[in-house]
């Protein structure tokens, strides 16, 4: 926790996302975007924590985020994703979906495309609650219960699917032709449904089927980066659930993570034994499973607590060597350690993102925390 | 600011808002045209400044930390904690000030520059006052260290000495710079004798002829005793030592040792604490409190806290011209020197337009147990009053209202009431915001507010025809009446369209089904459909019958239920037993008898009545056939 400092930014942050770095260079990410909410004028901003050539920052903290540029945004930013290294898409509470382009040379942001009423009620605006992109497709979902698919280069919506209220997971390209997108339904009881979108000739077919139910509304979902069948969810009751999609029904493990709604859950993209969750109660937890070789886990700073997981369902097929540590719900088998990553008494942490060893998160206390030395 | 030019000479009406006033033009006579504009007069512009927002957020963090300091620690251990918290607050103020300063310098808009400049000077004053309060009240330094702290205080707030010194040192010949002696005198006035000696050394090398007197001055300066609070020397010992030194300096002056160099003679007089000499350097001192501290340093370094106010009063009178009235800042500082905390707070409240400073300072002082319980008219104490005012101001802000919740939490007497009133007025634009507000209310068991917020969200969902969403909101609020309303809508929709929307919600209501009768019926009815879909006809039939006989189903829906029973009756296999069929017939009779009463709608069209009659006919036929088959089946003996 010594490595984490708060930067107060005068806007409540609803989403923070690292700008993707090319995997060929082993760089740590340096630029991130934030979206604000609950302001009279909301903004989408780009920040940098790299070394600054022009400003003499000897007295500032190393890695203190500096704002590079910002752009006005109509309505709260409800979701923000990067399409590629320069373009990002935002979902707004007015129902609009906008593509922004960041010009790193001039440090400006311009609007590339704007779909003003992607989601709407007949007489009102419907907030667009989440979006997912896999360039060039963008799939958005809104409170009006429709799923809309856009293409980054086309004007109108490609496809509208109605009658659902869902949130989205990041897609995973299984092959160059197939996109799998996972949806989470947002009503009192929850479904976690997986839709496959086989794509041929530009037309999108769409099948939706329901896999399992949970007793409280879910707010966030994330998929294991390597093992596609493992999904982690978090919801209104603050419980972290790990599911196996192949076997619907009940979650593999249920862990009491937070005392209030969990807003985001993220597997580490390259080191999936680590999981991060953030919540309304102001804490950001770093979950780590020990791998089967029982390497000791060294955790720096912060408070540690071992978590008891209950509701375990032994996976069918027991001890298959390739099964991930996450699927071992029994606390005896694999050890699960959690660490608090933020100083206590912060306000609700709305969003987090992690690439490599860099973690960024934003809170309702109008602060951004960046940690460049996360032990993964 | 009101656009007074436009509105001059016109009648104005106004209405109170939350933290602001809406002013509009009105006409007392009905003639003439009015203006369609409404002007909003905001009480407090500061909370809308983006840089000051950081102040509010950071200080909120410190405030919450302060409240959670454990009460059971003895106060001796807590003092350093309080001092460090006070320093935290001050560093936050300073950071804000620096940022404002940067923006004030870099902005091109002259008006904004002036505004920023104003804010910077206000923050400067605030920090000055806070620092003094920290020294006098929180740290409560005793005699001896008191003066040292006051010296630090003055040094911190007189930064131009360093600037001047830098200029002088960077010039080609520092000793001949025109500000040279000013710098030396300023150093001495602030008690920074080592630096003064260094500076003097430069002059000494330039004028080797006067080496002697420079050496003498250097000697005097080096020997001046400073009290060391951590050392073994007691205050009395220090006092004795200091008096010896003072006498030595006096002797030097009486001997006219420095007569040859006018500047050194002035220095000598200053070291003796000569008031007139000190007053001659008003421009270097700048303020009366600097004068006070310098005078104390050279006259009475062992000043006790209780003696301060004598000196303060006299210094202020001496320093300020009798013509100019003391500024608010001066009277606040004087009140602080007099240890009159309440006066300080009162004056600050009047002078500043934002409650931030007084609220936080009072809270800190209250934690240090320095405020006597000073009961105000309506019962709550001063600290709570100020915190409530501050937090109410925060609540009017579209974004900072979340901070205010924590402030209300720590006002034990009235905080909850204020919170209950205010939280309902937060505009709920998105579901996510509503969820956050709900979480706040649920954590504090404010069930009234929970219900009203959920009702707002449910009504909104209903208006947009999102029945499932509306239902889930009313379940969360445990609002039976509303749940009934929505279930009615569901049923109406079903009658109209033949299908249900939001099936998964209804399917998985669980114990929430018991919230209202209508909701239970809806859930059970859907279960009937499910059973039918799974071809579990016997159970479906039983359920259907129980819905009617247990009177769960509303009478208006019985026709639909009986119509649903038709396909079951028409099956080849006998599903309804004889007894069950009798019961169904009974229900049908009850229904038709009520339909035939003259109170039924007479404006039903002929067609509708025909349809009704046909349905009843079909039902009767089906029921009788079923009855026949059932009796036969039940009477048959299996061989």
């Amino acid at each position: 926790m010594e490595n984490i400092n708060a930067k107060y930014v005068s806007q409540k942050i609803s989403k923070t996302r690292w700008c993707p770095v090319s995997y060929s260079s082993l760089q740590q990410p340096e630029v991130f975007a934030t979206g604000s909410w609950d302001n009279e004028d909301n903004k989408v901003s780009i920040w940098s924590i790299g070394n600054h050539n022009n400003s003499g920052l000897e007295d500032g903290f190393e890695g203190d985020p500096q704002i590079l540029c910002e752009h006005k945004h109509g309505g709260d930013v409800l979701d923000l994703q990067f399409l590629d290294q320069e373009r990002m898409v935002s979902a707004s509470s007015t129902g609009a979906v906008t593509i922004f382009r960041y010009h790193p040379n001039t440090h400006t942001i311009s609007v590339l495309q704007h779909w003003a009423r992607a989601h709407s009620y007949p007489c009102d605006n419907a907030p667009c609650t989440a979006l997912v992109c896999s360039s060039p497709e963008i799939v958005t979902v809104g409170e009006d219960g429709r799923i809309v698919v856009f293409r980054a280069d086309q004007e109108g919506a490609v496809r509208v699917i109605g009658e659902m209220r869902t949130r989205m997971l990041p897609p995973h390209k299984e092959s160059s032709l197939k996109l799998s997108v996972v949806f989470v339904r947002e009503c009192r009881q929850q479904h976690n449904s997986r839709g496959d979108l086989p794509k041929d000739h530009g037309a999108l077919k769409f099948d939706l089927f329901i896999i399992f139910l949970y007793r409280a509304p879910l707010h966030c979902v994330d998929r294991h980066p390597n093992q596609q069948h493992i999904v982690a969810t978090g919801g209104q009751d603050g419980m972290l659930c790990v599911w196996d999609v192949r076997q619907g029904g009940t979650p593999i493990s249920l862990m009491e993570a937070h005392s209030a709604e969990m807003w985001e859950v993220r597997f580490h993209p390259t080191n999936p034994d680590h999981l991060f969750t953030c919540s309304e109660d102001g804490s950001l937890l770093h979950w780590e499973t020990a791998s089967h070789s029982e390497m000791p886990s060294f955790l720096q700073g912060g408070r540690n607590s071992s978590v008891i997981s209950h509701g375990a369902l032994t996976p069918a097929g027991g001890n298959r060597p390739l099964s991930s540590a996450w699927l071992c719900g029994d606390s005896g088998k694999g050890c699960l350690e959690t660490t608090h990553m933020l100083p206590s008494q912060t306000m609700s942490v709305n969003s987090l993102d992690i690439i490599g060893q860099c973690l960024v998160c934003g809170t309702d206390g109008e602060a951004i925390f960046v940690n460049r030395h996360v032990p993964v | 600011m009101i656009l007074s030019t436009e509105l001059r000479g016109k009648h104005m009406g106004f209405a109170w808002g939350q933290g602001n006033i809406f002013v509009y033009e009105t006409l007392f006579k009905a003639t003439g045209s009015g203006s369609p504009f409404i002007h909003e007069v905001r009480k407090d512009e500061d909370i809308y400044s983006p840089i000051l927002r950081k102040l509010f957020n950071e200080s909120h963090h410190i405030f919450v930390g302060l409240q959670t300091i454990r009460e059971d620690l003895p106060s001796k251990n807590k003092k350093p904690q309080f001092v460090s918290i006070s320093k935290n607050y001050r560093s936050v103020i300073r950071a804000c000030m620096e940022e404002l300063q940067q923006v004030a310098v870099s902005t091109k808009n002259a008006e904004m520059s002036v505004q920023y400049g104003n804010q910077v000077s206000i923050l400067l004053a605030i920090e000055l006052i806070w620092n003094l309060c920290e020294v006098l009240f929180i740290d409560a330094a005793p005699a001896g260290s008191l003066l040292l702290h006051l010296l630090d205080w003055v040094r911190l707030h007189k930064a131009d000495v360093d600037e001047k010194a830098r200029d002088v040192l960077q010039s080609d010949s520092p000793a001949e710079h025109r500000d040279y002696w000013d710098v030396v005198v300023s150093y001495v006035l602030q008690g920074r004798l080592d630096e003064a000696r260094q500076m003097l050394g430069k002059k000494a090398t330039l004028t080797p002829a006067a080496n002697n007197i420079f050496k003498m001055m250097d000697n005097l300066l080096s020997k001046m005793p400073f009290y060391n609070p951590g050392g073994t020397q007691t205050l009395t010992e220090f006092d004795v030592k200091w008096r010896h030194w003072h006498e030595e300096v006096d002797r030097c002056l009486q001997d006219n040792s420095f007569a040859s160099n006018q500047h050194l003679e002035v220095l000598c007089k200053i070291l003796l604490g000569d008031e007139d000499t000190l007053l001659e350097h008003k421009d270097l001192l700048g303020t009366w409190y600097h004068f006070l501290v310098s005078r104390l340093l050279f006259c009475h370094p062992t000043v006790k806290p209780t003696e301060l106010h004598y000196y303060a009063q006299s210094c202020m009178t001496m320093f300020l011209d009798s013509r100019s009235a003391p500024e608010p800042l001066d009277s606040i500082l004087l009140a602080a020197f007099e240890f009159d905390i309440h006066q300080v707070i009162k004056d600050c409240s009047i002078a500043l337009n934002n409650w931030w400073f007084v609220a936080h300072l009072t809270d800190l002082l209250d934690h240090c147990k320095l405020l006597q319980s000073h009961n105000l008219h309506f019962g709550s104490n001063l600290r709570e009053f100020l915190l409530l005012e501050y937090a109410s101001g925060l609540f009017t802000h579209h974004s900072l209202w979340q901070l205010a919740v924590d402030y209300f939490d720590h006002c034990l007497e009235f905080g909850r009431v204020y919170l209950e009133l205010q939280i309902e007025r937060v505009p709920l634009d998105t579901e996510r915001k509503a969820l956050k507000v709900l979480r706040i209310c649920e954590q504090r068991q404010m069930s009234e507010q929970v219900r009203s917020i959920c009702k707002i969200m449910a009504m909104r969902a209903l208006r947009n025809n999102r029945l499932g969403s509306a239902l889930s909101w009313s379940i969360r609020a445990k609002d039976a009446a509303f749940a009934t309303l929505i279930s009615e809508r569901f049923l109406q929709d079903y009658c109209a369209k033949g299908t249900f929307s939001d099936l998964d919600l209804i399917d998985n209501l669980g114990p929430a089904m018991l919230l209202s009768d209508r909701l239970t019926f809806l859930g059970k009815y859907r279960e009937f459909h499910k059973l039918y879909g799974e071809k579990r006809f016997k159970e479906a039939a039983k359920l259907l019958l129980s819905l009617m006989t247990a009177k769960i189903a509303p009478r208006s829906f019985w026709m639909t239920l009986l119509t649903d029973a038709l396909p079951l009756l028409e099956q080849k296999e006998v599903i309804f037993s004889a007894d069950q069929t009798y019961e169904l017939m009974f229900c049908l009779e009850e229904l038709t008898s009520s339909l035939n009463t003259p109170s039924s709608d007479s404006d039903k069209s002929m067609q509708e009545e025909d349809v009704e009659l046909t349905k009843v006919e079909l039902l009767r036929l089906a029921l009788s056939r079923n009855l026949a088959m059932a009796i036969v089946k039940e009477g048959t003996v299996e061989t």
Side-chain angles (χ1 to χ4, degrees):
Chain A
M1 236 197 304
E2 309 85 26
N3 299 318
I4 201 155
N5 287 307
K7 164 96 179 163
Y8 285 89
V9 297
S10 307
Q11 43 181 327
K12 291 206 276 210
I13 304 293
S14 63
K15 287 287 165 196
T16 56
R17 295 278 180 260
W18 286 112
C19 186
V21 287
S22 53
Y23 286 111
S24 54
S25 62
L26 290 170
Q27 279 177 319
Q28 298 285 348
E30 282 188 355
V31 172
F32 63 91
T34 61
S36 75
W37 74 286
D38 210 19
N39 249 351
E40 279 182 341
D41 305 308
N42 285 302
K43 291 191 236 177
V44 163
S45 327
I46 304 262
W47 303 76
S48 160
I49 55 169
N51 295 321
H52 311 283
N53 309 330
N54 26 6
S55 52
L57 260 194
E58 294 85 13
D59 46 347
F61 292 113
E62 183 221 290
D64 201 27
Q66 298 295 317
I67 188 164
L68 292 179
C69 48
E70 58 189 21
H71 195 282
K72 221 165 92 80
H73 185 268
D76 296 343
V77 175
L78 289 179
D79 204 353
L80 190 64
Q81 299 284 355
F82 271 94
L83 260 184
D84 53 32
Q85 280 188 310
E86 284 183 352
R87 294 180 295 172
M88 53 189 175
V89 195
S90 81
S92 157
S93 64
T94 57
V97 174
T98 321
I99 303 185
F100 293 95
R101 184 190 207 111
Y102 164 58
H103 307 270
N105 302 328
T106 53
H107 292 314
T108 52
I109 300 180
S110 56
V111 174
L112 269 189
Q113 203 148 28
H114 178 76
W115 292 283
R117 277 172 76 78
H119 295 274
S120 56
Y121 296 125
C123 55
D124 224 349
N125 279 336
C128 174
T129 44
L131 58 91
V132 128
C133 33
S134 175
S135 187
E137 256 111 27
I138 304 167
V139 189
T140 73
V141 126
E143 272 181 26
D144 57 349
R146 299 183 310 165
I147 306 173
V148 187
V149 182
F150 294 97
R151 279 185 74 95
D153 41 6
Q154 282 181 9
E155 273 295 320
V158 171
R159 170 86 192 255
V160 176
I161 302 137
E163 287 320 307
M164 296 242 303
R165 276 160 306 136
T166 66
R167 265 181 195 246
M168 326 276 291
L169 254 203
H172 181 85
K173 272 202 175 116
E174 291 186 358
S175 67
S176 58
L177 286 183
K178 204 164 158 205
L179 291 172
S180 269
V181 187
V182 182
F183 302 111
V184 166
R185 203 123 162 208
E186 198 199 331
C187 43
R188 165 104 175 53
Q189 279 73 31
Q190 284 293 323
H191 289 210
N192 205 320
S193 32
R194 187 180 74 174
D196 287 316
L197 298 173
K199 185 174 76 171
D200 37 53
H201 312 298
L204 285 165
K205 282 205 302 187
F206 196 71
D207 297 317
L208 207 55
F209 45 101
I210 293 161
I211 301 223
F212 26 67
L213 306 137
Y214 185 63
R215 57 191 149 91
L218 293 177
H219 291 306
C220 52
V221 192
D222 196 23
R223 199 177 221 181
H224 195 286
N226 305 329
Q227 299 176 312
Q228 292 296 294
H229 51 271
I230 299 177
V231 164
T233 64
Q236 189 185 304
D237 52 2
M239 302 271 261
L240 173 66
C241 308
V242 181
W243 311 74
D244 187 341
V245 166
R246 300 169 301 194
Q247 316 176 297
T250 44
I252 301 294
S253 57
L254 215 67
M255 291 166 272
E256 281 176 18
H258 296 281
S259 53
E261 285 96 343
M262 193 190 300
W263 292 120
E264 279 209 43
V265 63
R266 273 269 203 267
F267 278 102
H268 192 284
T270 47
N271 198 343
D273 278 341
H274 299 261
L275 179 75
F276 296 85
T277 60
C278 70
S279 149
E280 175 76 22
D281 66 3
S283 60
L284 201 164
L285 291 177
H286 170 190
W287 305 74
E288 195 176 329
T289 59
S291 60
H292 292 296
S293 63
E294 279 181 328
M295 238 170 19
S297 45
F298 294 100
L299 298 158
Q300 289 177 15
R303 294 163 267 158
N304 299 356
S305 52
S306 278
V307 160
I308 304 166
S309 59
H310 30 235
L313 230 190
T314 51
N319 285 330
R320 263 185 298 168
L322 287 178
S323 70
S324 156
W326 291 107
L327 289 182
C328 304
D330 197 4
S331 57
K333 255 198 207 143
C335 176
L336 197 65
E337 299 266 350
T338 51
T339 325
H340 285 263
M341 301 218 61
L342 291 180
S344 58
Q345 288 147 10
T346 44
M347 297 196 69
S348 157
V349 183
N350 289 328
S351 166
L352 68 94
D353 198 9
I354 176 125
I355 291 185
Q357 283 197 312
C358 299
L359 173 78
V360 65
C361 64
T363 70
D364 267 351
E366 306 193 356
I368 297 180
F369 293 84
V370 178
N371 187 339
R372 296 176 99 172
H373 305 280
V374 177
V376 288
Chain B
M1 293 299 288
I2 310 178
L3 309 161
S4 49
T5 49
E6 284 177 22
L7 294 174
R8 199 169 290 161
K10 302 203 172 95
H11 292 135
M12 300 216 305
F14 66 92
W16 286 103
Q18 217 185 6
N20 50 16
I21 311 176
F22 288 113
V23 175
Y24 54 91
E25 269 182 46
T26 184
L27 298 163
F28 288 150
K29 307 191 181 78
T31 56
S33 62
S35 154
F37 294 114
I38 292 184
H39 306 276
E40 185 188 358
V41 181
R42 277 188 182 148
K43 195 164 59 168
D44 177 9
E45 272 298 318
D46 283 344
I47 52 179
Y48 292 93
S49 151
I51 297 175
L52 283 182
R53 262 170 89 159
K54 301 189 197 183
L55 181 71
F56 298 127
N57 275 293
E58 286 202 67
S59 58
H60 165 260
H61 189 79
I62 301 173
F63 174 84
V64 172
L66 172 60
Q67 307 307 311
T68 53
I69 288 182
R70 287 194 356 240
E71 282 298 319
D72 50 346
L73 286 175
S75 53
K76 200 161 60 128
N77 298 350
K78 283 200 268 187
K79 191 166 89 149
Q81 257 184 322
F82 290 138
V83 172
S84 90
I85 287 178
S86 178
K87 288 192 157 72
N88 274 346
Y89 273 122
R90 277 175 37 222
S91 69
V92 168
I93 300 176
R94 285 211 149 242
C96 222
M97 207 159 51
E98 276 165 23
E99 211 177 318
L100 273 175
Q101 185 67 24
Q102 274 178 5
V103 178
V105 163
S106 64
T107 184
K108 300 191 185 62
N109 184 343
E111 193 186 309
M112 291 303 288
S113 186
V114 164
Q115 197 182 31
Y116 286 137
N118 285 342
Q119 281 172 344
V120 170
S121 49
I122 291 179
L123 282 179
L124 262 172
I126 284 180
E127 211 253 320
L128 181 75
I129 301 171
W130 194 304
N131 201 345
L132 185 62
C133 290
E134 180 187 314
V135 166
L136 293 177
F137 305 141
I138 301 174
D139 215 352
S145 4
L146 176 61
L147 184 66
L148 295 174
H149 287 207
L150 284 175
L151 266 179
D152 282 334
W153 173 63
V154 161
R155 283 178 199 161
L156 197 57
H157 291 98
K158 195 102 178 61
D160 56 354
V161 174
D162 290 313
E163 274 177 44
K164 251 196 229 172
R166 229 194 334 262
D167 282 341
V168 167
L169 286 172
Q170 281 171 357
S171 70
D172 299 324
S173 172
E176 281 163 20
H177 197 280
R178 61 193 165 102
D179 285 337
Y180 173 77
W181 282 110
D182 282 346
V183 170
V184 175
V185 171
S186 301
Y187 275 147
V188 172
L189 285 171
Q190 286 191 359
R192 290 155 79 171
L193 298 184
D194 290 332
E195 286 155 284
R197 285 167 59 200
Q198 269 180 11
M199 274 300 219
L200 277 177
K202 297 200 195 298
K203 192 71 162 184
T205 52
L206 267 190
T207 51
N211 219 0
N212 277 347
I213 50 175
F214 274 97
K215 254 204 184 145
M216 211 188 316
M217 176 53 71
D218 190 71
N219 192 22
L220 283 179
L221 288 174
S222 66
K223 282 206 293 197
M224 175 169 182
F226 278 94
Y227 182 64
N228 182 359
T232 50
Q233 188 189 50
T234 66
L235 197 61
T236 0
E237 286 171 13
F238 163 73
D239 198 30
V240 167
K241 212 167 149 203
W242 185 83
R243 278 186 205 291
H244 279 167
W245 175 85
H246 193 85
E247 279 161 19
E248 195 179 330
V249 177
D250 198 23
R251 247 178 290 135
C252 286
L253 188 66
Q254 301 301 333
D255 291 346
N256 282 334
S257 327
F258 297 110
S260 48
N261 189 321
Q262 174 210 17
H263 294 283
L264 287 179
E265 184 147 0
V266 162
L267 269 183
C268 194
K269 285 195 188 153
I270 289 176
L271 286 177
L272 278 177
D274 181 41
E275 280 163 22
D276 298 320
T277 331
L278 285 173
L279 280 172
E280 277 167 26
H281 291 95
K282 253 196 202 175
D283 52 330
L284 288 181
L285 288 169
T287 53
W288 63 271
Y289 41 90
H290 192 334
F291 172 52
L292 166 67
V293 174
S294 301
R295 187 164 158 231
L296 284 173
L297 175 64
F298 296 117
C299 295
H300 193 34
T302 53
V303 61
K304 292 206 260 297
T306 42
E307 296 167 349
L308 263 183
H309 70 276
Y310 296 124
Y311 289 99
Q313 183 65 60
S314 64
C315 284
M316 192 164 100
T317 352
M318 274 193 266
F319 193 89
L320 296 175
D321 295 328
S322 46
R323 289 161 299 205
S324 58
E327 299 200 339
L329 178 62
D330 296 326
S331 46
I332 293 172
L333 290 174
L334 191 62
F337 282 121
E338 289 170 2
F339 282 83
D340 189 352
I341 300 183
H342 287 287
Q343 189 64 33
V344 171
I345 295 174
K346 192 165 134 193
D347 286 343
C348 287
S349 316
I350 297 173
L352 298 167
N353 67 343
N354 185 294
W355 295 103
W356 177 86
F357 171 58
V358 282
H360 285 91
L361 183 64
T362 314
D363 175 62
L364 184 57
L365 292 175
D366 189 63
H367 271 91
C368 302
K369 305 260 188 296
L370 289 169
L371 292 177
Q372 309 109 353
S373 58
H374 182 106
N375 275 331
L376 299 170
H377 300 298
F378 39 87
S380 73
N381 60 26
L382 184 64
R383 166 190 171 266
E384 202 168 296
F385 170 72
L386 292 171
L387 282 176
L388 287 173
E389 285 294 316
Y390 173 62
S392 308
L394 276 184
F395 239 107
T396 63
H397 192 269
H398 52 257
S399 197
L400 294 175
W401 57 271
Q402 268 185 303
L403 303 178
V405 173
D406 281 314
Y407 285 103
F408 281 135
D409 278 344
H410 291 108
C411 292
L412 295 172
E413 212 170 313
F414 287 121
R416 194 189 158 88
V417 176
Y418 269 70
L419 183 60
E420 282 176 5
L421 288 173
Q422 299 267 20
I423 198 98
E424 280 184 337
R425 280 155 184 75
V426 174
L428 301 169
D429 308 318
T430 59
E431 268 196 24
R432 184 179 249 222
K433 188 161 175 187
L435 287 173
K436 289 191 188 242
V437 176
L438 268 179
R439 173 63 58 177
I440 292 173
C441 293
E442 280 170 357
Q443 271 173 349
R444 291 158 182 80
Q445 279 101 39
M446 296 179 173
S447 44
E448 277 288 324
Q449 280 69 32
V450 169
R451 207 169 307 138
S452 98
I453 290 170
C454 286
K455 195 168 264 175
I456 294 173
M457 296 308 289
M459 279 308 290
R460 198 179 290 173
L462 209 56
R463 198 178 61 201
N464 289 313
N465 219 22
R466 310 287 309 156
L467 292 178
S469 184
L471 187 60
S472 59
W473 283 112
S474 50
I475 288 175
R476 183 161 180 177
K478 302 197 184 21
D479 191 342
F482 213 71
T484 309
L485 195 86
I486 299 176
S487 315
E488 284 280 354
R489 277 285 289 266
F490 266 114
L491 293 170
Q492 279 171 11
D493 269 3
Y494 172 75
C495 291
K497 292 189 213 147
T499 55
F500 282 110
S501 58
D502 299 297
L503 277 178
D504 54 343
L505 176 61
I506 309 171
D507 282 344
N508 297 292
L509 283 173
M513 215 193 291
L514 301 170
L515 183 63
S516 115
D517 283 345
R518 201 49 54 81
L519 190 57
T520 319
F521 168 65
L522 182 64
K524 291 279 172 208
Y525 188 52
R526 170 64 202 145
E527 205 180 312
F528 162 73
H529 277 269
K530 264 208 304 204
L531 289 173
Y532 190 93
E534 290 165 15
K535 300 206 188 316
R536 288 150 67 179
F537 295 125
K538 277 256 178 352
E539 291 161 41
K542 214 158 85 165
L543 181 58
L544 187 64
L545 198 56
S546 68
L547 283 178
M548 281 195 283
T549 50
K551 306 264 187 284
I552 303 179
R555 189 60 78 88
S556 50
F557 215 72
W558 276 15
M559 203 60 214
T560 322
L561 286 178
L562 287 168
T563 324
D564 282 332
L566 257 182
L568 290 174
L569 292 166
E570 306 274 323
Q571 295 272 347
K572 282 208 199 98
E573 192 195 329
V574 171
I575 298 175
F576 284 102
S577 72
D579 288 329
Q580 287 175 330
T581 321
Y582 280 127
E583 288 191 37
L584 275 177
M585 286 171 154
F586 178 69
C587 294
L588 183 58
E589 286 312 307
E590 262 199 67
L591 195 59
T592 47
S593 60
S594 66
L595 283 179
N596 285 336
T597 53
S599 61
S600 58
D601 292 315
S602 51
D603 51 343
K604 253 194 194 165
S605 66
M606 285 301 296
Q607 261 188 332
E608 276 184 38
E609 279 201 34
D610 271 345
V611 167
E612 290 292 315
L613 281 174
T614 331
K615 268 203 241 173
V616 171
E617 297 276 336
L618 277 172
L619 273 170
R620 290 224 170 92
L621 185 60
L623 280 169
S624 357
R625 277 213 284 251
N626 192 58
L627 186 58
M629 289 204 294
I631 294 178
V632 167
K633 178 171 167 222
E634 279 162 29
T636 317
V637 172
E638 298 285 327
T639 50

